[in-house]
Amino acid sequence: METLTSTHTAGTAGSYRPALHYTAKDTWLNDPNGLIFHDGLYHLYYQNNPLGNTWGNMSWGHATSTDLQTWTEHPVAIACDEDEDIFSGSIVYDRHNTSGFGSGSVAPLVAIYTSAFKTGSLHEGVQAQSLAYSLDGGYTWTKYAGNPVLSRGSAEFRDPKVFRYDGDAGSYWVMVAVEAKDFQVVLYKSDDLKSWELLSTFGPANATGGVWECPDLFPLPVDGDPANLKWVLTVNLNPGGPNKGSAGQYFIGDFDGAAFTSTSTVTEGLQDPDRLGDYRWLDWGRDYYAAVSFSDAPDNRRLMIAWMNNWEYANSIPTTPWRSPMSLPREISLQTNDGKLCLVQQPANDRTTLAGSESFCLSGTTIDDDVRFLDGAEGTVQRIDVSFAPGSAEQFGLILRGDGAKGTRVGIRPHQATLFVDRRESGRTDFHPSFPSIDTAPVRGKQGSYDLTIFVDRCSVEVFAQDGQVTMTELIFPAETSTSLAVYAVGGAATISSLQVTQLA
Ligand code: FRU
């Protein structure tokens, strides 16, 4: 049995250590990898530097959870060596032992990861896909002697996400990966996870700044109807997000077992910076990257986790000894809103799981060109549910993690139909010139109302607007003493129809 190294709960090691979001105890992490629900446990593997708190020595760290909220960190699962760094990838449960890695009655978990071959190694300079397997439920891993199993001789071929396809075209494994600099998702099929055959490619399409990384492809019912499935292709890109730097876009369409056809592509070809707002983004904030979904999540739920950071400043954020949290796990679904199909996201833990105590409520309060501090609503780890009815104000919203009128502003500009997070006065911003920013997302009133659910967690703010139709995720680094919460309106009046604060620490 494995050794459990640590469980991180609220308040350990420093005022920025989140209570609700996963962080490694004292090391660096980036992309979530190999997300899988297996034998009653959610496994979260991730890009990890076991030896430091900046990027390097890329290996797969490992944590597990029974409830997607409290995580237990385990020893490194797959470690880099003198030949290769272990870049991002995925894990499947090979229940019929198609790979032959099983033993007796034990079917293997198989990790498909990118070998980033090092200088001096046999495949120097190449990125290719490799396998490792586990027969003890995901704690210890053996690399396959026949690695790599899929090479294109490319230096930018990475981030394989593998799933089981069972459909009209047959039953086999499908891999989606990227040719990062070509803005291409490449699709392969296999019967045994070891030999792979090219199916098709997708892209370039929509946003093509930087490189494409960490793709995912999965079906979702439209408006909850299992007889009406659409496929969603997610592609992370860096830089080139809607508010600069790293972000994830998605396409909706069909997959026939060989090719993905998008019905949501706006433009083909090179990126048009003026069109970023027309593309579909998983999240409009600066800190939601490398999002990928779980394999085998219970009840057919599609659950995603992203790395809560941005490559623009990732190595400089002022946390120690750990660096970078994961996002909250999210459940995603496809909904028709105003005649348009779009992804909708909710925190995967419902209110009950996250339950704390509702410490503060307010309703039917109008403010006019004013900032009103909410005595009794102070906190550093909270869920805020707020509905605004716009009046004459040109902007209105909340100032959270505040100190006087300074703090992080989460607001709405109704005439511009935008939601924004302004973190210019959010606390420490001096560690990187691109960190202080006002970031925006398109949002429309719903029957005249703007509804926000906001999770504040020591060093982050995650906004789910209009029931999860638009999300914005941002890191912030306020002083421990900046705890006030205020509502405000500028240039006229706005009404807070309801506001409820639930303390979650
Ligand atoms: C995305 C990424 C992946 C790569 C990994 C390396 O953040 O660049 O493309 O596999 O990080 O750590």
Side-chain angles (χ1 to χ4, degrees), residues 30-31 47 55 58 87-88 158-159 213-214 289-290 307 311:
N30 57 291
D31 315 359
Q47 289 289 280
W55 188 87
M58 278 299 112
F87 274 16
S88 289
R158 59 182 177 268
D159 306 341
E213 298 185 319
C214 303
Y289 193 58
W307 175 48
W311 281 118

Side-chain angles (χ1 to χ4, degrees), residues 329-370:
R330 296 181 181 179
E331 176 161 10
I332 62 174
S333 54
L334 270 181
Q335 270 180 25
T336 317
N337 288 303
D338 299 329
K340 189 178 166 190
L341 201 53
C342 62
L343 274 192
V344 170
Q345 306 180 59
Q346 300 290 344
N349 287 300
D350 62 23
R351 179 184 272 285
T352 334
T353 323
L354 285 170
S357 52
E358 287 162 23
S359 68
F360 186 91
C361 293
L362 185 79
S363 60
T365 303
T366 297
I367 42 168
D368 195 348
D369 224 345
D370 198 9

Side-chain angles (χ1 to χ4, degrees), residues 217-288:
L217 177 64
F218 45 82
L220 280 178
V222 175
D223 297 320
D225 176 5
N228 184 11
L229 292 184
K230 281 281 176 193
W231 286 75
V232 177
L233 176 72
T234 60
V235 184
N236 292 272
L237 84 157
N238 173 63
N243 285 295
K244 288 194 16 205
S246 318
Q249 64 176 331
Y250 69 91
F251 301 86
I252 301 173
D254 298 300
F255 177 61
D256 63 3
F260 174 77
T261 320
S262 166
T263 48
S264 70
T265 303
V266 176
T267 51
E268 291 285 347
L270 285 183
Q271 178 189 41
D272 176 351
D274 295 332
R275 299 210 69 160
L276 286 186
D278 293 342
Y279 304 147
R280 288 155 183 273
W281 298 99
L282 284 172
D283 190 285
W284 291 76
R286 303 277 301 280
D287 300 300
Y288 191 83

